[in-house]
Each structure stands twice: as structure tokens, then as C-alpha cells.
Amino acid sequence: MTTNPSPALLTVTGLVKTYAGKRSLADQMRGKTAPRLTALDNVSIALNANEVLGIVGESGSGKTTLARCIVRLETPDHGSVFFDDRDVLSSSGIELRHIRRDVQMIYQDPYTSLNPRMRVRDAISEPALVHGLIDPAGKDSLIRELLERVGLPQTAADLRPRALSGGQRQRVAIARALALRPRIIIADEAVSALDVSIQAQILNLFADLIRELGLGMIFISHQLSVIAQLSDRVAILYLGRIVETGPTAQVFAHPRHPYTAALLKAHPSIETEKQRQPALKGEIPSPYAIPRGCRFNTRCAYAESRCFEQDPSAATISPGHQAWCHVLPALEGVG
Ligand code: SF4
């Protein structure tokens, strides 16, 4: 039997996900094969209980695909995903159903998980009833407990989503996820659409839930400031690859990959020693045409000839802090 290769709650190893692109009619007639889009290329992460792993990257970096592969909404081409000792990618039937119950997703738009016609009480209790975690007699106490836990008044139970603010709707989506007593929450841009003050409240709620319930959380965002606030460790994703990972405080204070440093430069509120790092230039290349060598070479101010030929391997900066760049030592003088 294949087992979890690490003691972590969740272990993702060597995940690869590609998609077939569309062929033009002319290409079809010429018998050309469809181009392939590489969304994830050899991505590995681990998550422990009581821990928040932040996943950062621009749009198109593969963040959401990673989340969808973990819960098997997408099937990766290669790699493995273990939740405890359960092999997620070879699970099916009741076992996969249990994994999906234990690993809950929270999205940017709460309407993704809320039926606009359903009252809050039903939205919260429905999944627990469907999974047999409560019987109808236990519905009211579950609703009371979860409304209190997510900071909503009891009167919200009888409202429909449209009567709630964006922040309140997100609290309902969180309560609905918690009703299934998950062990992991994957929050995909879950605060990106909210005002800054509401963002802070939801981040505080997440922090309380991690501490009180011992959850593990994967927190996906393009906003470094919210990652800095919530996550213990961070992985920086660029064109489907992790380019730097480590303890968030260390990576943000002393970034070693030019991409991380350039992202941080755009967030002056985050204290980092690399403020003289050149700003990020140009657009992220198409995932249909990933640059040869280091995939960041088209935007990197430090690129040298080997960056266009060789894929950089991991350099360990300190325990748990790694970066994939040929010229890391040259960056030490910046800042
Ligand atoms: Fe830049 Fe080269 Fe490092 Fe890639 S390997 S980030 S191109 S210096």
C-alpha cells in the first residue's frame, strides 16, 4: 500500500497538470496536434495541522489549479496527494466523499457555495444533514453554534444571501464549510473581493478557527499583505512552479528569488530588505509557451546566459527556506 511520504496532514508531491488547447481548423486539417497548456509543473507542498500555508502568485500562476487538484476537482497528469494516510488521487466512492468532506473549499465569491434561494439556516445545515453528521433534531443547535462561531447574529438564520453584505455572506460560506467539521480549509482568494476593514475581520476569524479547531489551511491569494498577516509558511508560484518557499516572516523580510523580491517591491507596507530590487516588468508569459531554462528569465533583471538554458535547481537558504535561482548569491548585495 502506498503511504503518505511525510508526517504532514497533507502532502502533495510532484504535481503536474496540463490541458489540451484548441486547434484552429487549419491546424486540424494539417494534422497538427493540439498545443498543451502547463498549469502545474512538479509542484510539491506539505501542510500541518494548526498551520496556514500561503500560496502566492499572479493570475495564471496555477494557484487555483493546485487547489482543485488537491480536492480532485481536477485530475493531475502526474504526482501524488496524501491526506493523512489516504491516497487522494486513487480514492473513489465513499472514501473520496469523506476526503472532500474533510477538505473544504472557500471561494472568493460566496455565491459559488450559496444557493441564493436558500435561507442561511438551510445553507449552513444542508451539508451536515446530507453527510449524516446531524439528524433533523440537531439542526437548530448546529445553526446557533455556527452563527456564533463565525460572528453572525442569530437573526441572520432566516435571511437569504442577497440580504447580507459581502462579508456576512463570506461568514455564512465559512459556517457552511465548518458544518462538515473539516480538518483542512482551502481558501481561494477568499478575502480578495472584500473591503480592507472587512478583510481584516475575516482574517481574524480564520486565525481564531485555526487556533481553536486545530485546522490546517491553504490560503491562496495574489495579495501579499493578507498572506503576511495570516500564513506561517508561504510558497511563491510562478507559471506553475514554486520558485521560493519558507517561513513567511523570513521569506518576506529576506526574499532570495528575484520574482519574490519584485512582488514585495509592489507592497511597500511589507517590510523587506530588498526595496531596491527592480520592479516586476512585463506580463507573465503564456502557459502554452513556457520559456526554456528558468521560466522567469523573460522578466528577470538578473538573467544571465545559463538562465536561458538550464532550469535552476533548489538552493537551501536555511532550514525550510528554499529558492530556485542560479544567481542567488548575487542578490545578497541588493537592499
Ligand atoms: Fe533570474 Fe536567472 Fe534566477 Fe531565473 S535563474 S530568477 S532568470 S537570475
Side-chain angles (χ1 to χ4, degrees):
M1 187 182 79
T2 319
T3 55
N4 191 337
S6 84
L9 181 59
L10 179 80
T11 310
V12 173
T13 309
L15 222 57
V16 174
K17 178 65 186 171
T18 61
Y19 299 93
K22 289 202 172 70
R23 284 183 302 170
S24 66
L25 189 59
D27 283 348
Q28 286 178 37
M29 292 176 69
R30 282 189 213 111
K32 278 194 174 177
T33 53
R36 288 205 78 78
L37 177 158
T38 303
L40 295 175
D41 189 1
N42 198 19
V43 170
S44 301
I45 56 169
L47 175 73
N48 298 302
N50 282 301
E51 181 186 51
V52 182
L53 172 66
I55 307 281
V56 180
E58 293 165 280
S59 176
S61 59
K63 307 184 297 293
T64 296
T65 306
L66 174 59
R68 291 175 61 82
C69 286
I70 290 172
V71 292
R72 277 277 299 279
L73 292 172
E74 301 277 357
T75 303
D77 305 4
H78 301 288
S80 66
V81 178
F82 278 88
F83 169 49
D84 279 341
D85 264 336
R86 288 177 274 178
D87 183 344
V88 176
L89 300 185
S90 60
S91 295
S92 59
I94 191 81
E95 191 181 19
L96 181 58
R97 201 168 119 92
H98 285 166
I99 290 170
R100 286 184 173 150
R101 183 188 69 197
D102 290 345
V103 183
Q104 285 292 300
M105 294 273 299
I106 295 178
Y107 300 93
Q108 177 173 354
D109 179 3
Y111 273 123
T112 306
S113 49
L114 299 180
N115 180 338
R117 289 187 298 277
M118 206 179 254
R119 292 185 196 278
V120 167
R121 62 168 58 257
D122 297 318
I124 291 177
S125 56
E126 181 199 43
L129 285 165
V130 168
H131 280 266
L133 295 177
I134 56 166
D135 57 28
K139 186 172 159 178
D140 285 347
S141 65
L142 177 80
I143 294 163
R144 267 197 307 277
E145 177 203 323
L146 288 175
L147 285 175
E148 188 178 337
R149 189 172 277 288
V150 300
L152 284 171
Q154 297 297 323
T155 49
D158 291 319
L159 302 177
R160 291 196 170 85
R162 68 171 178 274
L164 302 170
S165 68
Q168 287 172 324
R169 277 198 291 271
Q170 199 55 292
R171 286 176 194 268
V172 174
I174 294 167
R176 182 177 160 92
L178 292 178
L180 290 174
R181 302 176 202 150
R183 297 178 59 209
I184 294 176
I185 285 183
I186 302 179
D188 188 0
E189 301 283 2
V191 298
S192 302
L194 303 174
D195 292 345
V196 174
S197 64
I198 308 296
Q199 268 190 1
Q201 292 172 17
I202 300 291
L203 291 175
N204 287 338
L205 172 61
F206 280 144
D208 290 345
L209 294 174
I210 306 296
R211 196 181 56 248
E212 290 165 14
L213 303 178
L215 302 173
M217 175 177 271
I218 293 178
F219 190 82
I220 295 170
S221 181
H222 68 282
Q223 294 176 289
L224 274 70
S225 53
V226 297
I227 294 279
Q229 212 174 317
L230 190 66
S231 64
D232 303 293
R233 289 187 299 115
V234 66
I236 315 289
L237 210 52
Y238 185 75
L239 267 184
R241 277 267 180 94
I242 292 175
V243 297
E244 184 160 10
T245 185
T248 308
Q250 188 178 337
V251 170
F252 281 12
H254 310 288
R256 298 302 310 278
H257 193 282
Y259 179 58
T260 314
L263 284 179
L264 285 161
K265 186 180 174 70
H267 286 76
S269 62
I270 299 175
E271 285 207 9
T272 172
E273 68 178 12
K274 298 289 189 284
Q275 291 302 322
R276 284 201 280 142
Q277 171 74 15
L280 197 54
K281 60 175 185 178
E283 298 292 322
I284 190 166
S286 164
Y288 283 107
I290 290 182
R292 182 164 173 228
C294 171
R295 58 194 58 206
F296 188 57
N297 63 26
T298 57
R299 304 170 82 188
C300 183
Y302 299 90
E304 40 186 69
S305 56
R306 60 181 162 164
C307 303
F308 296 89
E309 300 295 332
Q310 299 161 17
D311 212 354
S313 48
T316 298
I317 315 300
S318 58
H321 185 180
Q322 288 184 304
W324 283 254
C325 173
H326 291 304
V327 295
L328 286 168
L331 280 172
E332 284 185 304
V334 181

